[in-house]
């Protein structure tokens, strides 16, 4: 896949010093191995994340699982077999309602998974800048990003008016049924219902039948055939739920654009300022940063810079491998950005930030569903690219357990480096923060030599065995 001249160039920094944990707030409880990657092939990074490593910008790190206060387990979802749960469908329908009618929920509903994660949950870089590898949310300029309020209010007024009209019609229907019954000849006492009359029916059933007849007449008049009954035994796919929220009749238009961030494509450069403003305002609104803290250099270093080399393969996806931004555009403005890596066997979620006024839309969960659908699309172009990596699963932090809801899913065993289903792991993690997830003592013996990659360091060309870092 990579050319003969492609190498992984890193500087290893060790993992002896503890730093603040973003999950339990322990000042010195978080420990991880770390290295600065000047460049890295996508295959090398695929091998590393399958050994428990993750990247934050160009800084690549791995939690020391037995030592750190909140063990972080690599989690992946089987994208091809994923079926949205009831809560996932609820989020997709909520987005559909907003796009079609402009109805923005007032607040986050109870029971929704956390979209934002604990601040400072990631490693401490050599520059002493604490950054997170996990998905978080960010904000943009509310004055420019908010949909037209007057239009949304007008939709709501029309909805209220139509509801009142329906209620009035229902009362009239009920009245007509009752009046019709008074004209009928009463049955002889003691003889029961009049056999010459049709059996009585509920007013609600009569109204449903009238509405159905009106709809059929309207459709036939417009030359449209009545829809065929849906197959109830076949559940809707994730893509069908997503497409329902993107109908042509929508009042607001949502578009997802994929732009390469490294090396930056022309589309990425053209939208850089707008994307940065979204990130900056999020940091101020959600993490309470002062205006000068979320600097442009921090944004570039954390979310734009990547060590991954852009690579293409005849059997790979059309856009190639490497680091990208998925930009969510609503009516021509960026409202959210998902940072992702496209690797040989997976789409790896790095980060997410979005406008705080849209928090009630659960954009963290919505973007994850869109990224799963994106993985399934890429799999049609590259058959081995079939997993969606959600970063780290932290069972000891209840707010981070929502990642286990994207099933079927596996956690990476920190000792055997084999994958174990989430269902099997949860009982073990309920008993202990750290656990060998694969209970077979012989599992993973073929990996004891570690993952080997050819890399350059400042001292010269060498071969490094990653077992020394695990």
């Amino acid at each position: 896949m990579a050319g003969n001249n492609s190498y992984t160039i890193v500087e290893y920094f060790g993992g002896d010093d503890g730093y603040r944990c973003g999950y339990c707030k322990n000042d010195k409880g978080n420990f991880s191995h770390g290295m600065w990657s000047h460049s890295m092939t996508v295959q090398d990074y695929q091998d590393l994340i399958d050994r428990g490593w993750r990247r934050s910008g160009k800084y690549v790190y791995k939690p020391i699982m037995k030592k750190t206060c909140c063990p972080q387990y690599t989690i992946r979802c089987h994208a091809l077999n994923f079926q949205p749960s009831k809560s996932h469908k609820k989020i997709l329908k909520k987005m559909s309602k907003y796009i079609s009618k402009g109805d923005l929920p007032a607040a986050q509903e109870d029971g929704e998974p956390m979209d934002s994660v604990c601040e400072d949950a990631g490693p401490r870089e050599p520059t002493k800048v604490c950054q997170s590898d996990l998905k978080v949310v960010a904000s943009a300029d509310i004055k420019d990003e908010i949909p037209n309020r007057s239009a949304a209010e007008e939709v709501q007024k029309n909805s209220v008016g139509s509801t009142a009209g329906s209620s009035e019609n229902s009362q009239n229907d009920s009245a007509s049924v009752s009046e019709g019954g008074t004209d009928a000849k009463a049955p002889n006492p003691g003889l029961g219902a009049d056999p010459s009359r049709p059996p009585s029916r509920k007013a609600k059933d009569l109204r449903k039948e009238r509405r159905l007849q009106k709809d059929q007449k309207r459709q036939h008049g417009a030359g449209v055939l009545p829809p065929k009954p849906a197959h109830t035994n076949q559940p809707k796919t994730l893509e069908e739920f997503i497409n329902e929220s993107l109908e042509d009749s929508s009042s607001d238009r949502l578009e997802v654009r994929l732009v390469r961030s490294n090396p930056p494509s022309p589309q990425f450069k053209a939208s850089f300022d707008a994307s940065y403003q979204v990130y900056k305002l999020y940091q101020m609104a959600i993490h309470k940063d002062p205006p000068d803290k979320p600097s442009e250099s921090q944004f570039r270093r954390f979310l734009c810079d990547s060590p991954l080399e852009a690579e293409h393969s005849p059997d790979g996806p059309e856009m190639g491998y490497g680091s990208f931004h998925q930009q969510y555009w609503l009516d021509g403005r960026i409202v959210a950005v998902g940072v992702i890596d496209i690797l040989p066997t997976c789409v790896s979620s790095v980060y997410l930030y979005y406008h705080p006024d849209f928090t009630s839309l659960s954009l963290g969960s919505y973007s994850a569903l869109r990224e799963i659908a994106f993985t399934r699309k890429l799999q049609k172009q590259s058959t081995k690219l079939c997993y969606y990596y959600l970063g780290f699963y932290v069972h000891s932090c209840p707010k981070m357990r929502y990642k286990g809801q994207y099933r079927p899913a596996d956690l990476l065993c920190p000792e055997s480096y084999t994958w174990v289903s989430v269902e099997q792991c949860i009982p073990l993690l309920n008993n202990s923060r750290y656990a060998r997830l694969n209970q077979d003592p012989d599992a993973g013996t073929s990996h004891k030599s570690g993952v080997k990659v050819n890399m350059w360091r400042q001292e010269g060309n060498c071969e490094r065995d990653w077992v020394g870092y695990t």
Side-chain angles (χ1 to χ4, degrees), residues 344-393:
T345 65
C346 74
V347 170
S348 175
S349 174
V350 179
Y351 209 77
L352 179 90
Y353 56 98
Y354 60 79
H355 195 300
D357 257 33
F358 297 90
T359 301
S360 60
L361 290 177
S362 304
L363 287 176
S365 299
Y366 179 77
S367 66
L369 295 171
R370 291 296 299 257
E371 288 169 5
I372 292 175
F374 179 61
T375 304
R376 288 151 66 123
K377 179 181 179 180
L378 295 185
Q379 194 274 337
K380 296 178 181 179
Q381 304 173 15
S382 179
T383 55
K384 60 182 179 180
L385 203 164
C386 58
Y387 296 106
Y388 173 61
Y389 283 54
L390 295 93
F392 286 135
Y393 174 83

Side-chain angles (χ1 to χ4, degrees), residues 1-8 40-47 50 260 308-324 341-346 381-385:
M1 190 172 354
N4 293 331
N5 296 325
S6 297
Y7 295 92
T8 293
M40 183 172 288
T41 66
V42 292
Q43 184 59 60
D44 284 348
Y45 185 55
Q46 178 73 70
D47 292 339
D50 286 338
R260 183 179 287 276
L308 300 184
E309 300 289 337
E311 299 179 17
H312 290 79
S313 173
D315 60 349
E318 180 181 359
M319 71 289 300
Y321 302 101
S323 297
F324 298 82
D341 293 330
I342 300 178
L343 304 176
T345 65
C346 74
Q381 304 173 15
S382 179
T383 55
K384 60 182 179 180
L385 203 164

Side-chain angles (χ1 to χ4, degrees), residues 131-144:
Q131 303 192 6
S132 170
D133 74 299
L134 304 166
K135 266 194 172 185
V136 298
V137 294
S139 67
D141 194 344
I142 238 180
K143 298 177 182 178
D144 296 332

Side-chain angles (χ1 to χ4, degrees), residues 96-104 147 151-153 155-156 251-252:
S96 175
K97 184 178 180 181
Y98 172 70
I99 293 178
S100 61
K101 299 181 179 180
D103 294 340
L104 185 66
E153 291 171 357
V155 171
Q156 292 176 352
S251 60
D252 297 293

Side-chain angles (χ1 to χ4, degrees), residues 285-335:
I286 304 300
H287 292 302
K288 311 304 179 184
D289 285 353
D292 58 337
K293 184 176 180 180
S295 64
E296 182 177 316
S297 61
Q298 180 197 54
F299 174 68
R300 286 184 182 275
R301 183 175 64 250
F302 181 24
L303 297 178
C304 303
D305 292 347
S306 170
L308 300 184
E309 300 289 337
E311 299 179 17
H312 290 79
S313 173
D315 60 349
E318 180 181 359
M319 71 289 300
Y321 302 101
S323 297
F324 298 82
H325 282 192
Q326 273 195 327
Q327 301 173 340
Y328 293 78
W329 291 74
L330 183 64
D331 290 338
R333 296 180 177 89
I334 295 178
V335 297

